Amino acid sequence: MNGVGRFRATLVLALLMTLQAADVPAASRPEVLNVALYQDIGTLDPHAGVVPDWLAFLGNLYEPLVDRDDTLTGRRGVLATSWEVSADGLTYTFRLRPGVRFSDGAPFDAKAVRFSYDRSLALGKAPAGYLRVVRTLETPDDHTVVFRLKRPHAPFLAELRFFFPVSPAAVARHEVRGDRAQGWLNDHSAGTGPYQVQRWDRGRTLAWTRNPHYWRGWRPGQFETVNLHMIYDTNTQRLMLEKGDLDVAQNISIDDLPAVTRHPDIQVQQHTGTSRSFIFLNGVVGPTRERRVRQAIAHAWNADAYNALRRGQAPQSDGPCPLPLLGPEYTLKFPYAHDPAKARALLAQAGYPSGGFSLRFLVQKGDEQKKMQFEVLQGELAKLNVRLELIEETWPAINKRLAVWGGTRDAASAVHMVGFWRGASTGHIADFLYWSFHTDASIAKGGRNLLYYSNPEVDRLVNQAMATSDEAKARPLWRKANELILEDSPALFVEKILDHIVMRKDVQGYLYRDSKLTYDYYRMTRAR
């Protein structure tokens, strides 16, 4: 056997071993859906999770009072059937849906909303950030809840999609030494959503089964079981999808897309939403603390080289916030064209005339796009005598690392860059300009400001915009904040995300919701 043949045989053997390790049944029943993930899950507790967990997983186990509608711009009631907002923007009154039960059979009512609100604030983790603007929560009867805000907060209704009620009865049964059932809810569920946790073999498979108490009921043909398999390797996902052991693959390499698209049993959808890819830069310690160093790195970034590596699938981003959210007439000249000479001059002005320093780039394990970004940036920075080191960790480990680091701000353990994608989770400008760039939205406080960027003027403008209910008056404030952030360069604004949804052709009913990670499995079926 020649060298190429031995290499191929070794590769096939390795992939087969990975397939066996993934523990995915070779022939699934029609009512069972097998999905391959590429990012690990930290917790299933809806009051302790982080944004990717809420979007990609918890929306099938838990439900909010209101959510985005199918257009992604309007609102629809879920656990609330209707709502009213006072003229001053301070009072939100919701009528709750009658007859709803949690997956443990306990009734959903105003007391459960109150309990979940109190629990979220007591835990003080990520979802609590959306509730801190509330002054009081009142429950005048079993089917009415009234939120009274401390100040007008324009994104409030949109952000309520991340407030998920849990069963008070389940928490009471599983509380251990005053932990409010955090230990149990870490890997179990007690929501009103269509599915409930059946089992979780961490790092391998999370299995859901249908919630028998689900208020919408169940119809023939829906998926009664959803198996979420943790598979980092893109080749493994492709082979399993082609074989039929997987129904949905979330991580197909750009090189494999043409062949997968031609496969007779596979469908591929491409969508461009508001998701954007950033490389956050550390503005607290190290060379990137200096704005001119950050601007130099922005000019060193080679968008054309990256787009070529991505086979034309990486259109240049438009800045901190997608421009369409800032108004159809709004334009903004992007100031960071690839310009090595300008990058070198900025480094000299910042006190690094010959480069000579090292930076660390943190990416999520299994994320092909972020590794490509590292490769492009590493090559360009090398020309400036700046060394770039790659660090790969799982998503939960990244969250923990950055949150802990925020308490120490230790230069020796700092990372200087973090690759991250951000979508319009609520469909509001605040998704980007508050949750990614406001001082109070640091990852330690549950936000997506991963490397602790802070600019008092940006904070002031964003605070003022969020307190302005008149959109026409708020928009100039948002735009000014956007421009200040762009000038500060707290991140490289890399690309508009082109999402590829890859699944077997017999899977129907999928609706794209601004992220390839977000699936409403209840509405999906298998063609018979």
Side-chain angles (χ1 to χ4, degrees):
M1 181 181 294
N2 62 29
V4 173
R6 284 195 299 272
F7 172 77
R8 288 176 177 168
T10 302
L11 176 61
V12 170
L13 177 61
L15 290 176
L16 287 174
M17 292 174 65
T18 306
L19 290 176
Q20 293 171 355
D23 192 29
V24 181
S28 296
R29 301 186 306 277
E31 70 278 8
V32 176
L33 186 75
N34 283 299
V35 180
L37 311 180
Y38 77 98
Q39 68 172 29
D40 208 351
I41 307 166
T43 179
L44 298 179
D45 190 330
H47 303 151
V50 294
V51 170
D53 292 342
W54 299 334
L55 294 181
F57 312 113
L58 297 189
N60 289 280
L61 304 175
Y62 296 89
E63 294 176 308
L65 300 182
V66 296
D67 201 354
R68 296 185 297 179
D69 62 16
D70 287 353
T71 70
L72 305 182
T73 57
R75 309 292 159 201
R76 65 180 175 90
V78 183
L79 294 179
T81 58
S82 62
W83 57 91
E84 297 176 358
V85 183
S86 63
D88 61 6
L90 292 174
T91 304
Y92 290 72
T93 303
F94 296 87
R95 292 293 296 171
L96 304 184
R97 188 177 300 278
V100 176
R101 292 187 174 273
F102 291 99
S103 58
D104 65 347
F108 165 76
D109 55 19
K111 296 184 185 69
V113 175
R114 175 80 218 195
F115 174 87
S116 299
Y117 168 81
D118 290 341
R119 181 179 186 270
S120 181
L121 289 182
L123 296 186
K125 298 183 180 179
Y130 293 106
L131 300 174
R132 292 192 183 105
V133 72
V134 178
R135 178 168 58 84
T136 61
L137 174 60
E138 301 167 8
T139 55
D141 59 59
D142 283 349
H143 297 290
T144 306
V145 292
V146 181
F147 292 87
R148 299 192 187 278
L149 307 190
K150 301 172 184 175
R151 59 186 178 277
H153 184 71
F156 181 69
L157 191 63
E159 292 173 352
L160 270 186
R161 73 180 299 240
F162 295 126
F163 171 53
F164 295 135
V166 302
S167 166
V171 171
R173 284 195 304 272
H174 298 286
E175 185 171 26
V176 177
R177 294 188 293 275
D179 75 340
R180 299 177 185 265
Q182 284 186 84
W184 187 80
L185 281 174
N186 185 52
D187 49 19
H188 294 81
S189 61
T192 63
Y195 294 96
Q196 59 184 334
V197 175
Q198 183 181 51
R199 64 181 175 86
W200 190 2
D201 182 4
R202 279 188 176 269
R204 294 166 65 89
T205 300
L206 170 61
W208 295 340
T209 187
R210 75 175 188 171
N211 171 7
H213 305 289
Y214 190 47
W215 57 273
R216 283 191 174 102
W218 290 88
R219 305 178 307 277
Q222 291 179 281
F223 292 111
E224 297 187 3
T225 301
V226 178
N227 295 317
L228 304 170
H229 304 283
M230 188 67 241
I231 304 171
Y232 289 111
D233 185 77
T234 59
N235 290 319
T236 302
Q237 289 206 17
R238 175 191 169 180
L239 289 175
M240 295 177 70
L241 184 71
E242 291 175 340
K243 187 180 176 183
D245 290 340
L246 287 175
D247 297 298
V248 180
Q250 290 189 358
N251 198 17
I252 299 296
S253 76
I254 199 73
D255 292 332
D256 285 340
L257 269 177
V260 169
T261 302
R262 292 191 298 269
H263 194 286
D265 298 322
I266 295 174
Q267 56 177 311
V268 178
Q269 301 179 26
Q270 178 176 297
H271 299 273
T272 304
T274 55
S275 296
R276 299 292 187 265
S277 184
F278 300 149
I279 299 174
F280 286 102
L281 303 176
N282 194 324
V284 179
V285 299
T288 52
R289 181 178 183 179
E290 165 63 53
R291 183 169 71 168
R292 285 172 293 191
V293 171
R294 300 194 302 269
Q295 292 172 336
I297 294 171
H299 281 294
W301 171 250
N302 192 332
D304 290 339
Y306 176 64
N307 192 39
L309 198 61
R310 293 281 299 153
R311 299 180 182 272
Q313 298 291 303
Q316 172 67 51
S317 182
D318 41 8
C321 181
L323 295 189
L325 294 183
L326 293 164
E329 78 287 359
Y330 182 60
T331 60
L332 179 64
K333 180 176 174 58
F334 192 76
Y336 298 114
H338 178 55
D339 190 337
K342 191 165 186 177
R344 190 172 289 106
L346 284 164
L347 286 179
Q349 293 170 24
Y352 299 97
S354 58
F357 55 85
S358 298
L359 302 172
R360 304 184 192 100
F361 192 129
L362 178 61
V363 302
Q364 181 181 313
K365 181 180 179 182
D367 193 323
E368 177 192 59
Q369 288 179 243
K370 304 303 185 300
K371 289 185 72 173
M372 287 182 177
Q373 292 170 10
F374 165 79
E375 291 168 6
V376 171
L377 195 54
Q378 182 188 47
E380 296 298 331
L381 289 180
K383 301 172 186 177
L384 302 173
N385 194 27
V386 175
R387 296 171 297 281
L388 196 59
E389 173 191 352
L390 179 67
I391 302 173
E392 291 186 90
E393 294 181 355
T394 65
W395 179 245
I398 288 174
N399 276 274
K400 182 177 181 180
R401 176 183 184 135
L402 298 179
V404 170
W405 183 84
T408 66
R409 310 291 177 102
D410 175 49
S413 62
V415 294
H416 307 95
M417 303 182 189
V418 180
F420 183 68
W421 70 267
R422 179 67 168 149
S425 305
T426 67
H428 196 280
I429 299 169
D431 285 331
F432 294 90
L433 299 189
Y434 176 80
W435 287 103
S436 292
F437 298 106
H438 193 285
T439 302
D440 289 342
S442 70
I443 189 170
K445 296 182 179 180
R448 298 292 88 191
N449 184 351
L450 301 187
L451 288 178
Y452 300 89
Y453 169 70
S454 181
N455 181 322
E457 180 62 10
V458 168
D459 292 349
R460 185 189 69 80
L461 289 166
V462 168
N463 290 341
Q464 189 176 347
M466 290 199 299
T468 303
S469 56
D470 186 329
E471 184 176 328
K473 293 180 179 178
R475 191 165 281 169
L477 300 169
W478 288 119
R479 291 173 178 177
K480 180 61 176 176
N482 187 65
E483 291 157 12
L484 287 177
I485 294 168
L486 187 60
E487 182 181 356
D488 260 354
S489 194
L492 305 186
F493 307 106
V494 176
E495 64 182 309
K496 301 175 183 177
I497 298 293
L498 300 183
D499 280 330
H500 295 96
I501 313 302
V502 184
M503 62 182 68
R504 301 284 295 185
K505 278 190 175 177
D506 62 351
V507 176
Q508 301 175 334
Y510 169 78
L511 176 68
Y512 180 71
R513 289 186 176 275
D514 210 39
S515 168
K516 74 173 183 178
L517 301 181
T518 306
Y519 289 80
D520 182 354
Y521 297 114
Y522 178 78
R523 68 186 298 156
M524 295 166 62
T525 59
R526 191 185 305 280
R528 304 282 176 154

